[in-house]
Amino acid sequence: MLRALPSTTIFAARKRTTSRLCRNAGARHVATKPPSATTRIVSTSLLFGLGSGALVASYFLWPDQSRAAPTKTNALLSPTHFTPVEVTASEPCPDPNTRLMTLTVPRQSIPSLNETAFQPVWSVYIKDDDIQVERPFTPLEGIDSEGRMKFWIKRYERGEVGRWLHSKKPGDKIEIRGPLKTWPWQEGEWDEVIMISGGTGITPFYRLIHHELLSQASPKSKTRFTLLHSSRRPTELPPPELLRPLLQYSQAHPDRLRVSLFVDTPEGPAHPAAPSSSLAVGRIGKGVLERATGASTGSWWRTLFGRTANQRSQNGAGGKKVMFLVCGPDPMVAAIAGPFGRNFSQGEVGGVLGELGYDRESVWKL
């Protein structure tokens, strides 16, 4: 992620640029009559434009701490430096703007998979070498003993790294750094985890479910997971490689995993893993969240004389301890849980969950 320059650096850059421009402007007016008002306006506008251009250029070209991290080819994968990895697969999805990509870490760079950073929700930063920008991505199934990591990558119109990754072919080399823990999962801390996602925001939740349920012959986790996922249309839902395992597990073990899929419109081709009869049309709102927690099934007297907002923030129906995780486009996150704070801090809980009385103790925005 790009970082703004320190104020002292910006001031120094502005001072040097302004001084140079002023010297050049002064040289042009030596031994002439004082400039007219029109000339002064044009010169000031030119000065401001060139100075602003220099500041913008310094913002994008000045090396920040992460982009200036060294590249190491014989060291273990680490957040402190970039590691060259190979694109070993790039597969199309029903949504032409997304691909399933596999990156493989060289054998000499594969760290111990028992490190706490790999347990269970984590990400790596992938760097676009062309413009020196990095973005975080979540491996869907973690990293295996051969160093392979699979990602669901979407190409956004203004997403530099996503578009760049879509241009890569098997055999190409790119640089990554990580792992970095995304959310501190604690076994036994919550009775139920309700995950609300939009678009590729499902990736950290798929990772959590895969780690706790799908990859375990006999899952030890006592937590019940609920996934509420929304996409604009059926073909933009996650690819079958992700959706089928989730739906099959939820049908076989509804006591452990519940999955509900939502689309803004049912128009267009059907999804190969999700028949139209399994999709709800509309957005994830208050009624959906109340049903997910069981809050809408109580009687009128419980609604009137029951738990307070503070009690609800700590517990779901039946006194369960519930955690809400929200990940997706910023407008969706804001509508469900309130906007992020400054510098992507958690901020206050707002949106639908705030209206229902939940607070920071039970809501986390990814």
Side-chain angles (χ1 to χ4, degrees):
M1 181 178 294
L2 289 173
R3 298 179 182 175
L5 286 172
S7 59
T8 54
T9 305
I10 293 177
F11 176 78
R14 183 187 293 117
K15 184 176 181 181
R16 289 194 298 270
T17 304
T18 305
S19 298
R20 185 164 56 251
L21 290 170
C22 286
R23 286 198 300 270
N24 293 339
R28 287 195 298 270
H29 291 295
V30 171
T32 63
K33 63 181 181 179
S36 66
T38 301
T39 302
R40 285 197 300 272
I41 293 174
V42 172
S43 299
T44 301
S45 300
L46 178 62
L47 176 63
F48 178 79
L50 292 176
S52 300
L55 290 177
V56 171
S58 67
Y59 175 85
F60 285 102
L61 299 178
W62 196 280
D64 74 8
Q65 186 176 3
S66 61
R67 297 200 305 274
T71 298
K72 298 184 179 181
T73 57
N74 294 314
L76 296 177
L77 192 66
S78 169
T80 62
H81 61 255
F82 287 102
T83 299
V85 300
E86 182 178 346
V87 178
T88 50
S90 181
E91 307 164 22
C93 299
D95 177 5
N97 287 318
T98 65
R99 299 188 73 84
L100 280 174
M101 301 187 68
T102 301
L103 307 181
T104 301
V105 179
R107 185 170 297 276
Q108 71 272 14
S109 299
I110 302 174
S112 169
L113 303 186
N114 293 323
E115 292 186 11
T116 57
F118 289 118
Q119 306 299 325
V121 187
W122 53 277
S123 62
V124 296
Y125 274 87
I126 299 179
K127 182 173 69 171
D128 178 347
D129 285 332
D130 292 344
I131 57 175
Q132 297 297 299
V133 171
E134 60 174 8
R135 292 290 183 269
F137 295 88
T138 302
L140 297 169
E141 300 173 358
I143 181 172
D144 66 17
S145 59
E146 299 298 319
R148 291 173 296 214
M149 297 180 288
K150 183 179 288 188
F151 301 84
W152 186 36
I153 307 292
K154 182 163 186 175
R155 175 179 56 199
Y156 292 95
E157 182 179 353
R158 298 183 179 181
E160 305 94 341
V161 181
R163 286 188 286 110
W164 181 77
L165 283 172
H166 271 239
S167 71
K168 296 302 174 183
K169 309 296 182 186
D172 288 345
K173 296 293 181 67
I174 64 176
E175 295 185 359
I176 68 173
R177 65 181 184 92
L180 297 99
K181 185 172 292 188
T182 305
W183 176 63
W185 162 255
Q186 300 178 50
E187 179 60 51
E189 180 68 17
W190 300 281
D191 298 305
E192 183 166 9
V193 173
I194 299 176
M195 299 160 284
I196 307 160
S197 59
T200 54
I202 194 177
T203 55
F205 303 152
Y206 183 88
R207 168 62 190 144
L208 177 59
I209 295 170
H210 182 271
H211 182 273
E212 292 297 308
L213 301 179
L214 303 182
S215 64
Q216 307 290 332
S218 300
K220 298 178 182 179
S221 178
K222 302 301 182 183
T223 302
R224 182 181 186 180
F225 297 94
T226 295
L227 174 64
L228 308 173
H229 179 76
S230 176
S231 292
R232 290 188 299 178
R233 53 183 64 90
T235 53
E236 294 186 24
L237 290 166
E241 291 84 347
L242 276 67
L243 214 49
R244 278 201 186 100
L246 293 173
L247 295 175
Q248 290 172 355
Y249 194 96
S250 66
Q251 292 167 4
H253 306 281
D255 57 323
R256 292 182 178 273
L257 175 64
R258 297 182 298 174
V259 176
S260 296
L261 302 174
F262 300 80
V263 291
D264 292 347
T265 174
E267 298 177 358
H271 191 281
S276 58
S277 59
S278 66
L279 307 178
V281 179
R283 298 190 176 183
I284 301 171
K286 183 177 180 181
V288 173
L289 295 178
E290 285 182 324
R291 288 192 294 273
T293 59
S296 63
T297 61
S299 60
W300 68 270
W301 60 265
R302 184 174 180 178
T303 302
L304 185 61
F305 300 106
R307 293 164 292 146
T308 64
N310 183 60
Q311 290 172 323
R312 180 181 294 176
S313 72
Q314 302 297 325
N315 302 285
K320 295 184 300 182
K321 190 170 184 181
V322 179
M323 169 59 74
F324 290 90
L325 302 178
V326 188
C327 185
D330 286 347
M332 189 212 81
V333 173
I336 297 294
F340 285 99
R342 295 184 60 183
N343 299 321
F344 287 97
S345 61
Q346 287 295 296
E348 296 298 325
V349 175
V352 176
L353 291 176
E355 182 181 343
L356 291 174
Y358 293 99
D359 60 19
R360 292 186 181 186
E361 294 295 321
S362 52
V363 178
W364 188 267
K365 310 166 195 175
L366 285 78

